[in-house]
């Protein structure tokens, strides 16, 4: 700074004089003025001072003053104090200091003044500030700065507390580099830090030294960023020490602030524990055409030599950075790509438009409904026959188990299995461990079935006994469930192909489900529930007494015998997912989910049977290999439970259940893969109502592929063939050989007159798809509501049928649904990322669904609306994603001038209508952005390639709503089906005669008062899900308070007694810093 005072402002004059001043008094006066400016200034003023070279001027003055043989500390102290305050706010202070040669000079000043507390504290604060630069911290570490500072830190004392805290804070600041951390670990300082923390913590009960404990915890957090640091802490008993001190903290009001950083440190340092699996790959493997069969041997070996660091373990987000992910290429947004197949292949899809070729002769003939019904499909007649072939109800208790011999049935060419009638044999009702939930009722039913039969004839008459028993159960305990017939479901399941060849029907799927009578509120979160669960997990590590750790269920080991007093688990049925259950304690179980078939990922969905429980005892369940970094389970969501006893007593409900629910990162890692993979625990407790019940637990309301087949059959037989054209066909077969149904629904023409037939064949198409992701079962319940409404006699439904032709593909991923996967199909691919160029062999349902859409466009019947039904695990409410060129460009900050771009705003019509119609819908949660990462999804491809303006993804929450009349309530199957109905009603907004169609609706449904009650996405969880964050760093207000307290001491070396030392501690920030992060202000008010 060489500008003359005449050409500079007042600040420049002061800074220039500071660098060039020769006398002590002038320099001190300038420092006092700058300190006043800093103290009274706003952030803007402070950064203005820094921009004008305040840091450089102070560094120059420090170097000039400190180089003298006998530095004048009357000048150096205020200079160091001011440099600490300014430097803490200057992001480049470390680089500037290194350029000026200040770090080593300050370190030498510290060494010369270790016995002078105030001087040492001032040097330490400056070293702490300099260490914000990695290179500067390394420079100080290489010159033995760590050793120098470590030796300053004493065991508990009441003297020189500011200097002690400054030393610990400076030590923590130097640990920002890997080299310094390695040095600390190698020199054994971790053990010393633990002993220091133990000593200070013990005395902090009686003295105000809590902030020093905080600073020591900050050092330990920094050290344990490396695997060597974590191992050192564990090997020196750090977890046991932290656990003990934390229990003490919980009993002392003044020490609560030490609990959270201690808990986070314990979580971080718990030894990585491989999942107790032989392979990370799914227990279900399937021979994919064109690929080598992937077995467990392909698992990568763990890289034991890799240097792990928590700061490199952050989960890769499912979504790319929001703004960077938005598509900004105008050509990709505006122009259609060429079709992915020749036009000559499209006519094959004409069969899927039966409304165009059907002659409707039944309008003129008086034949029987069975002969004239247009609801049947020739392409599915063989399947229909199979569904009704009278297969016996499988049994072993109410879980309806077939004999194990059925699992050995010959595999299809694709490697999947289906049970065959000839291979089913009757079994004794009690022969399986998973028995009827009410053993008493089971015995009564069994006795009724066996009346009049002798023991010696039991085997040959077992089958008839079984059939009469099931009939008796249905007659005595069955509940009329709309659109559900248990025997029809059983017949449908008999033709379903699965990888393992399921020989079991889950009772809820067979018996049926009715929505609960009332709405279920979100579960309140118990304060500090996660902390308590973490403590229990730490206890498992520290105290082995009472730990059982016994495998009680293994999907891959059917011969496993579990103890008589443990819960019994089972998941080998359609949609089921539970790979292994480990009894940890008497009432606690770790559950491991099965990865998607042919992969080692995508664990979230679960559905399993549990039995042999004791009533009124809280059981803790830990799902320990979840993958998502957050979950609605942290925000009031509960899993669902189905009780067989309740069902037999007339309450066949899936109900939300569970207490003490939380979702957080754990210490487990893959069995054989890299240890850097992150898993999360979903933990919840359940108190069962009945002894020895049979219950089913699931992530969300299950909806199986067999349920869809049976439901479509019921709908097919229920519609009025004179009014409803309902035709079910097979889109294609899946990899496993399961037919993928496609349904056409519209109104029959009034007559065969040309005008009526012409109107029919020119109705616009609405294409609806769903369940591409198997774990999103809520999408199927929404689709169920849509299907039932479109087939109903409701006047609005008839109006919609007369206005549109509906093409519905209710389940795009049957194989995934059947085999209990969460995200993928049997080729281990996410089918909703295959739409750009689907493989006809590996992704047949997507290939042919896209082919149908191509065909409709080629014959001038481009769908008016396309909507893909999904579920969302991270947000509340129901909302739509659409596509808009302008909104994408606006949001991305693109430089493209959008003034001249013309875009039909009609893509917002349906969302706006839904916001008025549907209580669960949130217009403000919708967006219409085209992301690069979503370029191969159905929504974007149908919009871009087929030109469908109203191309949507409809996301339904797994949890509930935070707005409107459903605010604070979890959605059930009733509300999900209602959403399917409301979506149909919203289509009225795109008809030509909206006014007359709205006249069919009640006025009270037009405004549900939800659209003004929007609350944004979830706030951060009340407890830290992750444990990678360090203790909160010392902020500017804390540092200012420490420095100011150091300047108030009149004597350079004020010893004082213990009481006086405590008074100094309370006067400075040491006694205040616990609250300073929340209520401290950057500067005191200007005078």
């Amino acid at each position: 700074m060489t500008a003359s005072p005449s050409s500079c402002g007042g600040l420049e004059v002061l800074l220039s004089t500071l660098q060039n001043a020769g006398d002590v008094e002038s320099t001190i006066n300038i420092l006092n003025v700058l300190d006043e400016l800093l103290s009274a200034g706003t952030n803007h003023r402070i950064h203005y001072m820094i921009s004008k070279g305040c840091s450089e001027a102070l560094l120059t003055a420090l170097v000039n003053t400190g180089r003298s043989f006998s530095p004048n500390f009357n000048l150096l102290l205020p200079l160091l104090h001011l440099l600490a305050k300014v430097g803490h706010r200057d992001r480049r202070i470390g680089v500037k200091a290194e350029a000026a040669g200040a770090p080593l000079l300050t370190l030498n000043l510290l060494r010369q003044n270790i016995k002078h507390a105030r001087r040492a504290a001032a040097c330490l604060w400056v070293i702490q500030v300099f260490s914000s630069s990695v290179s500067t911290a390394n420079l100080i570490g290489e010159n033995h700065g760590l050793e120098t500072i470590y030796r300053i830190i004493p065991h508990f004392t009441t003297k020189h507390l500011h200097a002690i805290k400054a030393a610990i804070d400076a030590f923590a600041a130097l640990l920002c580099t890997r080299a310094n951390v390695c040095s600390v670990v190698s020199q054994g300082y971790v053990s010393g830090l633990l002993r220091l923390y133990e000593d200070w913590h013990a005395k902090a009960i009686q003295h105000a030294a809590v902030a020093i404990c905080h600073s020591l915890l900050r050092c330990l957090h920094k050290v344990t960023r490396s695997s060597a640091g974590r191992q050192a802490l564990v090997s020196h008993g750090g977890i046991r020490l932290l656990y003990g001190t934390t229990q003490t903290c919980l009993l002392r009001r003044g020490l609560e602030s030490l609990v959270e950083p201690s808990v986070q440190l314990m979580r971080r340092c718990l030894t990585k524990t491989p999942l107790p699996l032989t392979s990370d790959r799914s227990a279900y493997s399937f021979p994919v055409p064109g690929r080598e069969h992937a077995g467990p041997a392909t698992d990568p070996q763990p890289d034991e030599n890799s240097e792990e660091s928590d700061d490199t373990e952050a989960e890769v987000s499912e979504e790319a950075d929001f703004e960077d992910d938005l598509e900004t290429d105008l050509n990709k947004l505006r122009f259609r790509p060429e079709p992915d197949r020749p036009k000559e292949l499209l006519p094959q899809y004409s069969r899927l438009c039966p409304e165009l070729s059907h002659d409707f002769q039944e309008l003129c003939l008086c034949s029987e409904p069975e002969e004239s019904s247009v609801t049947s499909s020739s392409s599915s007649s063989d399947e229909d026959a199979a569904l009704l072939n009278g297969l016996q109800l499988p049994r072993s208790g109410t879980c309806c188990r077939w004999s194990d011999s059925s699992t050995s049935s010959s595999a299809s060419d694709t490697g999947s299995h289906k049970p065959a009638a000839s291979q089913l044999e009757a079994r004794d009702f009690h022969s399986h461990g998973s028995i009827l939930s009410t053993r008493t009722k089971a015995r009564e039913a069994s006795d009724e079935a066996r009346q009049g039969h002798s023991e010696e004839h039991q085997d040959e008459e077992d089958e008839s006994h079984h059939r009469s028993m099931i009939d008796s159960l249905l007659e005595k305990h069955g509940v009329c469930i709309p659109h559900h017939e248990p025997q029809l479901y059983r017949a449908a399941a008999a033709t379903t192909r699965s990888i393992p060849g399921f020989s079991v029907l889950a009772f809820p799927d067979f018996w049926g489900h009715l929505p609960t009578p009332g709405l279920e509120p979100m579960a309140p979160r118990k304060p500090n529930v996660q902390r308590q669960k973490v403590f229990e997990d730490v206890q498992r590590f520290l105290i082995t007494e009472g730990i059982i750790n016994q495998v009680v269920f293994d999907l891959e080991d059917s011969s496993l015998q579990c103890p008589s007093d443990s819960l019994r688990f089972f998941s080998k049925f359609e949609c089921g997912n539970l790979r292994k259950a480990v009894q940890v304690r008497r009432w606690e179980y770790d559950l491991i989910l099965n990865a998607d078939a042919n992969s080692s990922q995508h664990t979230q969905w679960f559905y399993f049977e549990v039995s042999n429980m004791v009533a009124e005892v809280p059981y803790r369940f830990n799902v320990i290999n979840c993958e998502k970094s957050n979950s609605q389970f942290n925000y009031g969501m509960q899993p669902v439970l189905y009780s067989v006893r309740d069902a037999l007593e007339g309450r066949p409900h899936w109900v939300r259940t569970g207490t003490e629910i939380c979702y957080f990162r754990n210490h487990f890692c893959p069995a054989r893969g890299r240890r850097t993979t992150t898993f999360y625990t979903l933990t919840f407790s359940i108190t069962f109502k009945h002894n020895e019940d049979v219950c089913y637990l699931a992530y969300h309301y299950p909806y199986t592929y067999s349920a869809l087949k049976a439901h479509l059959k019921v709908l097919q037989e229920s519609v009025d063939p004179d009014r409803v054209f309902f035709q079910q066909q097979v889109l294609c077969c899946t990899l496993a050989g399961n037919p993928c149904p496609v349904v056409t629904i519209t109104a029959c023409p009034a007559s065969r007159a040309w005008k009526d037939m012409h109107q029919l064949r020119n109705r616009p198409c609405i294409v609806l798809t769903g369940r591409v992701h198997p774990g999103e079962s809520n999408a199927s319940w929404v689709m169920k509501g849509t299907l039932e409404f479109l087939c109903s006699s409701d006047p609005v439904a008839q109006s919609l049928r007369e206005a549109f032709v509906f093409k519905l593909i209710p389940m795009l991923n049957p194989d995934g649904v059947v085999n209990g996967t969460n995200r993928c199909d049997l080729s281990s691919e996410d089918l909703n990322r295959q739409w750009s160029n689907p493989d006809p062999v590996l992704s047949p349902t997507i290939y042919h669904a896209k082919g149908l859409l191509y065909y409709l466009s080629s014959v001038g019947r481009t769908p008016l609306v396309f909507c893909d039904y999904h579920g969302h695990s991270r947000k509340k409410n129901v909302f739509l994603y659409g596509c808009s060129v302008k909104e994408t460009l606006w949001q991305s900050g693109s430089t493209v001038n959008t003034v001249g771009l013309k875009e039909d705003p009609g893509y917002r019509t349906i969302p706006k209508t839904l916001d008025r119609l549907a209580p669960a819908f949130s217009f403000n949660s919708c967006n219409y952005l085209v992301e690069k990462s979503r370029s191969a999804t159905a929504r974007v491809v149908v919009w871009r390639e087929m030109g469908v303006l109203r191309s949507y993804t409809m996301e339904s929450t797994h949890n509930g709503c935070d707005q409107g009349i459903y605010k604070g309530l979890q959605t059930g199957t009733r509300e999900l089906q209602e959403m399917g109905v409301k979506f149909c009603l919203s289509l009225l907004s795109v008809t030509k005669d909206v006014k007359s169609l709205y006249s069919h609706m009640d006025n009270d449904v037009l405004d549900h008062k939800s659209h003004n009650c929007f609350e944004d996405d979830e706030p951060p969880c009340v407890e830290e899900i992750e444990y990678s964050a360090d203790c909160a760093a010392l902020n500017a207000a804390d540092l200012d308070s420490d420095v100011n307290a150091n300047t108030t001491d009149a004597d350079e070396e004020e010893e004082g007694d213990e009481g006086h030392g405590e008074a100094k501690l309370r006067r400075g920030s040491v006694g205040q810093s616990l609250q300073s992060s929340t209520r401290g202000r950057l500067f005191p008010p200007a005078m």
Side-chain angles (χ1 to χ4, degrees):
M1 297 180 65
T2 60
S4 65
S6 60
S7 61
C8 299
L11 179 60
E12 286 88 341
V13 172
L14 287 173
L15 297 179
S16 176
T17 306
L18 176 63
Q19 296 179 83
N20 302 315
D23 62 295
V24 174
E25 185 176 353
S26 298
T27 304
I28 292 177
N29 288 335
I30 293 172
L31 292 174
N32 288 335
V33 171
L34 291 174
D35 192 41
E36 288 295 327
L37 288 172
L38 183 71
S39 299
T42 62
N43 278 333
H44 178 75
R45 179 187 292 181
I46 295 167
H47 290 293
Y48 174 77
M49 293 172 62
I50 292 171
S51 70
K52 290 301 181 181
C54 186
S55 299
E56 290 88 338
L58 292 170
L59 289 167
T60 301
L62 172 63
V63 172
N64 292 338
T65 307
R67 282 177 178 169
S68 61
F69 180 77
S70 180
N72 185 341
F73 271 90
N74 289 328
L75 173 60
L76 271 178
L77 270 179
L79 181 58
L80 289 167
H81 289 161
L82 186 58
L83 182 57
K85 291 181 179 180
V86 173
H88 192 75
R89 296 164 170 86
D90 188 346
R91 294 180 179 178
R92 301 189 68 251
I93 188 63
V95 176
K96 295 175 181 178
E98 197 170 346
L104 296 184
L105 182 143
T106 308
L107 182 59
N108 288 331
L109 288 173
L110 171 65
R111 286 171 176 151
Q112 296 167 15
N113 294 277
I114 285 179
K115 294 183 178 181
H116 301 272
R118 293 182 63 226
R119 299 177 186 179
C123 294
L124 288 162
W125 285 318
V126 173
I127 289 174
Q128 175 189 341
V129 167
F130 288 168
S131 299
S132 61
S133 164
V134 171
S135 63
T136 308
N138 278 333
L139 177 65
I140 296 172
E142 290 164 2
N143 285 272
H144 308 289
L146 285 164
E147 295 91 326
T148 300
I149 297 173
Y150 180 77
R151 285 196 296 268
I152 298 175
I153 308 172
H155 284 270
F156 179 79
T157 179
T158 57
K159 299 178 181 180
H160 313 308
L161 297 178
H162 287 296
I164 295 170
K165 183 174 182 295
I168 301 171
D169 288 338
F171 193 84
L174 287 169
L175 296 177
C176 67
T177 73
R178 184 182 295 273
N180 285 347
V181 169
C182 291
S183 176
V184 165
V185 174
S186 64
Q187 295 184 64
Y189 289 167
V190 174
S191 175
L193 289 170
L194 287 169
R195 302 288 80 81
L196 285 168
Y197 178 75
E198 182 179 27
D199 185 53
W200 279 93
H201 181 275
K203 306 302 188 332
I205 296 174
Q206 299 174 351
H207 299 86
V210 179
I212 289 179
C213 293
H214 262 286
S215 297
L216 288 167
L217 286 174
R218 189 177 297 116
C219 291
L220 292 170
H221 268 276
K222 293 289 186 69
V223 169
T224 54
R225 281 181 169 182
S226 73
S227 59
R230 293 191 289 272
Q231 291 169 7
L233 185 140
V234 173
S235 64
H236 289 99
I239 292 182
R240 187 176 298 277
L241 168 63
L242 290 167
Y243 181 80
T245 56
T246 303
Q247 301 308 305
T248 302
C249 291
L250 292 172
L251 302 175
R252 303 279 180 171
R253 177 170 297 181
L255 303 180
E256 301 98 329
S257 60
L258 296 175
V259 173
E260 185 59 25
S262 298
V263 169
Q264 293 293 79
L265 194 53
M266 285 188 285
R267 290 177 64 193
R268 173 184 285 182
C269 294
L270 281 175
T271 304
K272 286 286 186 181
T273 305
L275 294 174
L277 300 173
T278 56
S279 168
D280 296 307
R281 295 188 66 82
S282 172
Y284 295 157
S285 61
F286 183 84
V288 178
R291 296 184 190 172
E292 293 185 7
H293 185 59
T298 63
D299 279 343
Q301 292 294 328
D303 186 0
E304 300 293 350
N305 297 322
S306 64
E307 177 72 10
E308 273 187 60
S309 176
D310 274 342
D311 50 15
T312 64
E313 290 180 5
E315 181 191 66
V316 177
S317 174
E318 292 182 0
E319 302 181 8
D321 181 76
F322 183 66
E323 292 187 0
D324 291 342
D325 192 34
L326 294 179
E327 183 60 74
T328 57
D329 187 334
L330 189 58
N331 290 328
K332 291 182 179 179
L333 288 171
R334 294 188 66 187
F335 301 111
R336 294 191 195 180
E338 291 295 321
D340 63 10
R341 68 199 75 188
K343 292 183 178 180
E344 292 75 21
L345 296 179
L346 299 182
Q348 63 177 306
Y349 299 104
S350 61
R351 68 180 181 84
L352 300 178
C353 297
E355 75 282 1
L356 299 181
S357 58
H358 196 83
D359 57 12
F360 293 96
Q361 290 187 9
E362 63 275 8
L363 296 177
C364 302
L365 301 175
C366 297
S367 56
E368 293 294 322
E370 290 79 7
E371 298 174 352
S372 62
S373 173
V374 299
T375 64
S376 62
S377 171
S378 60
S379 62
S380 60
S381 58
D382 293 339
E383 182 186 2
D384 295 342
L387 294 179
L388 300 173
N389 64 4
L391 293 177
Q392 297 174 7
L393 181 67
R395 57 181 178 161
S396 170
T398 55
C399 53
C400 310
R401 306 201 171 171
W402 284 310
S403 69
D404 291 337
S405 63
S406 66
T407 62
S408 61
S409 60
S410 60
S412 68
D413 293 339
T414 59
S416 61
H417 303 74
K418 70 174 182 178
S422 60
Q423 294 169 316
L424 300 178
E425 58 184 58
R427 298 179 61 183
D428 181 73
F429 197 79
H430 298 297
S431 63
H432 198 284
S434 293
I435 62 170
L436 189 64
S437 61
T438 58
R439 290 176 184 248
T440 303
K441 289 185 179 293
R443 293 190 183 101
E444 289 176 356
S446 183
D447 291 342
E448 290 175 9
R450 289 176 170 80
Q451 284 179 1
H453 296 273
S454 62
E455 288 278 338
E456 54 269 21
H457 295 112
Q458 180 174 340
D459 289 341
E460 62 185 50
E461 296 179 346
D462 187 55
E463 183 174 338
S464 61
H465 292 170
H466 172 66
R467 186 180 297 110
S468 64
M469 175 189 62
I470 294 298
D471 291 341
S472 175
L473 277 176
L474 289 171
E475 181 179 351
K476 185 174 182 180
H477 303 292
V479 178
C480 180
I481 297 175
H483 300 103
H484 179 80
E485 297 178 13
Q487 296 288 20
L488 185 58
Y489 177 86
R490 179 196 169 283
T495 65
T496 296
R497 296 177 180 269
S498 62
I499 293 177
F502 293 134
S503 59
V504 174
L505 295 181
F507 183 83
D509 304 323
F510 167 77
W511 198 260
H513 154 77
L514 284 174
T516 54
L519 295 169
E520 297 175 280
M522 294 180 192
R525 186 180 176 104
K526 182 180 177 182
N528 300 313
V529 60
Q530 178 179 304
R531 176 200 293 174
Q532 182 57 41
K533 299 305 177 184
V534 170
F535 283 153
E536 292 175 13
D537 293 345
V538 173
Q539 284 178 340
R540 189 195 307 190
F541 176 82
L542 297 174
I543 306 169
T544 57
E545 183 180 353
I547 301 300
I548 300 172
N549 272 346
Q550 181 174 1
V551 177
V552 295
F553 170 74
D554 190 338
L555 185 64
E556 299 165 278
D557 184 4
S558 58
S559 64
L560 182 69
Q561 298 293 320
C562 64
S564 60
D565 62 346
S566 77
L567 292 177
R568 296 174 186 170
F569 297 86
F570 190 78
S571 66
K572 204 169 183 179
F573 49 78
E574 187 175 347
C575 262
N577 190 314
L578 177 65
R579 183 169 182 175
K580 184 171 283 190
V582 179
Q583 186 176 16
V584 179
R585 298 181 178 95
R586 176 67 179 88
W587 313 108
E588 180 179 357
Y589 295 82
D590 280 352
L591 309 178
I592 302 173
L593 306 183
N594 193 24
D596 284 3
N598 284 350
S599 81
S600 57
Q601 295 178 301
H602 309 297
T603 47
Q604 175 175 295
W605 169 260
F606 58 86
Y607 180 21
F608 57 87
E609 174 193 290
V610 59
S611 60
N612 201 42
M613 66 280 292
V614 177
E616 304 304 327
V617 172
Y619 288 86
R620 178 183 173 185
F621 297 96
N622 310 308
V623 183
I624 62 174
N625 64 329
C626 302
E627 293 181 358
K628 288 182 177 288
S629 60
N630 199 357
S631 169
Q632 280 294 316
F633 284 115
N634 275 330
Y635 302 95
M637 177 176 163
Q638 296 171 286
V640 294
L641 177 143
Y642 190 105
S643 163
V644 174
R645 170 175 284 187
D646 284 348
L648 294 178
E649 292 175 353
R651 300 182 300 278
H653 307 304
W654 280 105
V655 296
R656 299 277 190 168
T657 191
T659 58
E660 300 186 343
I661 302 172
C662 54
Y663 185 97
F664 56 92
R665 184 174 171 182
N666 60 36
H667 61 283
F668 288 98
C669 62
R672 298 172 62 84
R674 287 185 60 85
R675 298 293 187 259
T676 52
T677 299
T678 300
F679 286 129
Y680 296 80
T681 290
L682 163 64
T683 182
F684 55 90
S685 297
I686 292 180
T687 302
F688 298 100
K689 294 191 299 183
H690 311 296
N691 284 315
E692 298 185 337
D693 197 354
V694 173
C695 294
Y696 292 80
L697 285 167
Y699 179 87
H700 196 68
Y701 306 99
Y703 190 97
T704 65
Y705 170 64
S706 296
L708 172 66
K709 293 194 294 183
H711 185 227
L712 292 178
K713 182 64 179 176
V714 171
L715 289 177
Q716 179 176 306
E717 295 175 348
S718 67
V719 297
D720 180 356
D722 295 328
R723 305 189 68 190
V724 182
F725 182 88
F726 179 107
Q727 189 149 353
Q728 179 189 168
Q729 298 171 279
V730 175
L731 176 70
C732 63
C733 281
T734 64
L735 281 173
N738 287 304
C740 178
V742 56
V743 179
T744 300
I745 300 175
T746 192
C748 293
S751 70
R752 295 186 66 198
W754 180 90
K755 180 179 179 181
D756 293 329
M757 296 298 289
H758 178 77
Q759 191 274 341
L760 164 67
R761 287 166 182 168
N762 284 278
R763 292 172 187 168
C765 282
I766 306 290
V767 177
L768 306 177
T769 61
R771 204 67 183 280
V772 70
H773 295 144
E776 296 168 5
S777 59
N778 44 357
S780 284
W781 289 100
V782 177
M783 182 64 75
K784 185 174 187 287
T786 294
L787 281 164
E788 290 179 3
F789 179 74
L790 291 177
C791 294
S792 71
S793 58
D794 188 286
V796 179
Q798 179 62 21
S799 297
L800 288 169
R801 291 192 295 264
E802 292 171 356
F804 303 115
V805 174
F806 290 88
K807 302 284 182 183
L808 302 99
I809 309 176
M811 195 170 284
L812 282 167
N813 193 349
D815 290 347
V817 172
V818 169
N819 293 287
T821 67
N822 179 65
R823 187 81 178 176
C824 301
D825 70 340
L826 300 189
S827 66
S828 70
E829 298 288 351
D830 181 345
L831 291 183
N832 202 36
R833 297 298 187 274
Q834 309 303 313
W835 280 81
S836 287
N837 190 25
D839 188 296
V841 176
L842 299 181
S843 308
T845 60
I846 305 302
Y847 179 83
H848 291 293
K850 188 177 181 183
L852 172 59
L853 290 162
Y854 270 140
Y855 174 74
L856 292 173
S857 296
S858 71
V859 296
R861 304 187 70 222
T862 299
L864 183 65
V865 176
F866 171 85
C867 190
D868 191 20
Y869 290 5
H870 282 254
H872 207 293
S873 66
R874 304 276 286 273
K875 292 185 178 181
K876 293 185 174 74
N877 310 315
V878 181
F879 49 93
L880 290 176
Y881 292 136
C883 301
S884 165
V885 174
K886 283 191 173 183
E887 294 197 35
T888 302
L889 294 174
W890 291 337
Q891 187 66 45
S892 67
S894 172
T895 58
V896 175
N897 184 1
T898 59
V899 174
L901 289 178
K902 293 184 178 180
E903 185 174 50
D904 187 342
Y907 62 87
R908 283 177 168 261
T909 304
I910 288 177
K912 287 182 177 179
T913 306
L914 278 172
D915 197 45
R916 299 192 67 198
L917 292 174
F921 191 83
S922 170
F923 179 78
N924 290 317
S925 294
C926 301
N927 81 54
Y928 314 93
L929 307 178
V930 181
E931 304 103 324
K932 297 172 187 175
S933 61
R934 303 289 194 271
S935 61
T937 61
R939 164 179 62 98
V940 176
V941 169
V942 173
W943 169 75
R944 179 180 285 157
E945 297 190 23
M946 286 76 180
V948 178
L949 174 70
R950 299 176 181 87
S951 179
Y952 304 108
T953 297
M954 184 160 70
E955 300 278 2
S956 300
T957 180
H958 285 92
N959 185 1
C961 299
D962 58 11
Q963 58 160 38
I965 62 175
Y966 291 158
K967 183 173 183 177
L969 302 173
Q970 298 181 83
T971 55
T973 56
R974 180 194 298 106
E975 292 72 45
L976 292 169
Q977 289 180 249
E978 176 192 65
M979 191 64 230
V981 174
K982 299 299 185 183
F983 184 82
C984 293
L985 298 180
S986 73
L987 298 174
L988 297 169
S989 62
V990 296
T991 59
K992 294 181 179 179
D993 193 0
V994 176
K995 184 175 181 180
S996 63
L997 289 176
Y998 267 101
S999 66
H1000 290 288
M1001 303 167 59
D1002 296 330
N1003 291 330
D1004 59 350
V1005 303
L1006 290 176
D1007 191 354
H1008 59 79
K1009 298 180 181 178
S1010 290
H1011 56 279
N1012 293 323
C1013 305
F1014 173 72
E1015 295 179 11
D1016 206 352
D1017 292 345
E1018 301 297 354
C1021 186
V1022 293
E1023 297 184 83
E1024 285 289 340
I1025 300 168
E1026 302 289 341
Y1027 52 77
S1028 57
D1030 292 325
C1031 283
L1034 194 71
N1035 61 32
D1038 290 332
L1039 186 62
D1040 288 351
S1041 182
D1042 284 347
V1043 172
N1044 291 336
N1046 201 45
T1047 61
T1048 59
D1049 293 333
D1051 298 324
E1052 196 171 281
E1053 287 298 322
E1054 184 174 355
E1055 298 292 340
D1057 58 16
E1058 289 190 358
H1060 186 65
E1062 289 181 37
K1064 288 198 299 179
L1065 182 62
R1066 294 189 185 98
R1067 185 167 63 243
S1069 70
V1070 179
Q1072 300 170 359
S1073 62
L1074 298 183
Q1075 294 83 22
S1076 62
S1077 61
T1078 57
R1079 66 180 186 179
R1081 295 190 298 176
L1082 190 60
F1083 300 105
M1087 299 300 292

